[in-house]
Amino acid sequence: MIQSEQQRRAYLEAMGIDVWLPRDHVDTVDEAVADTEHDVQPTDVLDWPELRARVAACTRCALHEGRTQTVFGVGNPDADWMVIGEAPGAEEDRRGEPFVGRAGKLLDEMLRAIGEARDTVFITNILKCRPPGNRDPKADEAAACRAYLERQVELVNPKIILAVGRIAAQQLLGCDVPVGRLRGKLHQFGDTPMVVTYHPAYLLRSPSQKRKVWDDLCLARRIVAERQA
Ligand code: URA
């Protein structure tokens, strides 16, 4: 007889036997439970249209109550570069596209400086729904959205991830180190090389940091070139 993990745990618990699981196993089981409760198929088998539809219908966290629409991501599904930001703002929520406000215009310029554009890279966020008042994402919101982002990374299979800003960097790396100490070096997100840089909204307030962002972009571009060779 094939027992599901849930059934096995329920039987053991009913027999008074404590079930101890390693931390990442607990995550996997919890995620699978979340998937079967809310969704028909697990997220990691979805193709682009299925993933887009899943995100559009998502009610996994309370942010769905306040959104105008989800903001899935935009760009080339086979991009070498994947840019990951924090969460949609008011303008992105209205238009359904990431980075379309003032910070987005600066991101476009950053991309242009390295010979890329909105439609040659893939741009998305940690969260697909706007947090009210543009507050920071909560841990449970980021966790609820995580499987969507991971599937996007798998499907794009980029040569580099550029994490822009503190929230994206810390969420992707699972740490609380300040961006100033994460930028300027190479990280990994799973098997994908990752570079961290300042968020364009921060650059609008602190333009003197643009030089450092340029250095980060050059580092990322070198990695892409190495992986193309
Ligand atoms: N800031 C982000 O991090 N993402 C957006 O989509 C817009 C602003």
Side-chain angles (χ1 to χ4, degrees):
M1 178 184 66
I2 298 173
Q3 271 182 359
S4 75
E5 183 61 25
Q6 272 170 285
Q7 277 172 328
R8 195 182 69 83
R9 284 165 69 184
Y11 290 143
L12 291 174
E13 273 159 18
M15 288 190 301
I17 298 169
D18 285 335
V19 185
W20 294 94
L21 297 168
R23 180 70 226 159
D24 54 357
H25 188 85
V26 172
D27 282 343
T28 312
V29 171
D30 286 349
E31 196 171 285
V33 171
D35 272 327
T36 50
E37 272 174 6
H38 293 270
D39 313 316
V40 184
Q41 284 172 292
T43 309
D44 62 3
V45 301
L46 302 180
D47 64 16
W48 278 116
E50 289 165 340
L51 183 62
R52 192 177 279 278
R54 180 72 65 84
V55 168
C58 183
T59 56
R60 284 184 171 197
C61 80
L63 292 181
H64 77 276
E65 290 162 13
R67 73 185 176 216
T68 306
Q69 57 194 313
T70 54
V71 178
F72 180 75
V74 72
N76 176 2
D78 293 315
D80 285 346
W81 291 69
M82 185 157 179
V83 178
I84 304 181
E86 175 179 335
E91 187 69 12
E92 288 78 17
D93 171 75
R94 243 189 320 272
R95 293 183 37 193
E97 187 173 331
F99 283 100
V100 289
R102 276 185 73 218
K105 298 280 165 290
L106 184 50
L107 178 63
D108 289 348
E109 281 176 32
M110 287 160 56
L111 293 174
R112 213 174 1 256
I114 46 154
E116 298 288 336
R118 202 161 252 278
D119 57 357
T120 62
V121 305
F122 191 87
I123 306 175
T124 191
N125 285 306
I126 297 288
L127 295 190
K128 311 303 188 222
C129 293
R130 181 192 179 205
N134 296 337
R135 64 157 169 75
D136 285 356
K138 293 183 183 167
D140 67 315
E141 295 161 353
C145 239
R146 178 78 174 203
Y148 302 139
L149 182 66
E150 286 179 356
R151 185 62 182 152
Q152 287 179 311
V153 174
E154 271 172 13
L155 287 169
V156 175
N157 191 20
K159 295 200 165 46
I160 193 80
I161 290 175
L162 182 69
V164 296
R166 175 178 66 86
I167 300 287
Q170 293 180 348
Q171 284 290 336
L172 292 169
L173 293 171
C175 71
D176 58 4
V177 177
V179 178
R181 286 186 27 222
L182 294 173
R183 59 154 297 276
K185 51 182 102 142
L186 186 57
H187 304 270
Q188 287 285 130
F189 178 72
D191 295 334
T192 310
M194 181 170 117
V195 167
V196 169
T197 198
Y198 291 117
H199 196 285
Y202 170 72
L203 284 187
L204 289 171
R205 300 191 299 274
S206 307
S208 63
Q209 302 296 317
K210 282 186 182 173
R211 173 77 227 184
K212 291 183 188 158
V213 172
W214 174 243
D215 291 343
D216 297 334
L217 292 172
C218 290
L219 169 62
R221 189 168 55 178
R222 274 200 302 280
I223 290 150
V224 172
E226 277 167 21
R227 298 194 74 204
Q228 279 166 339

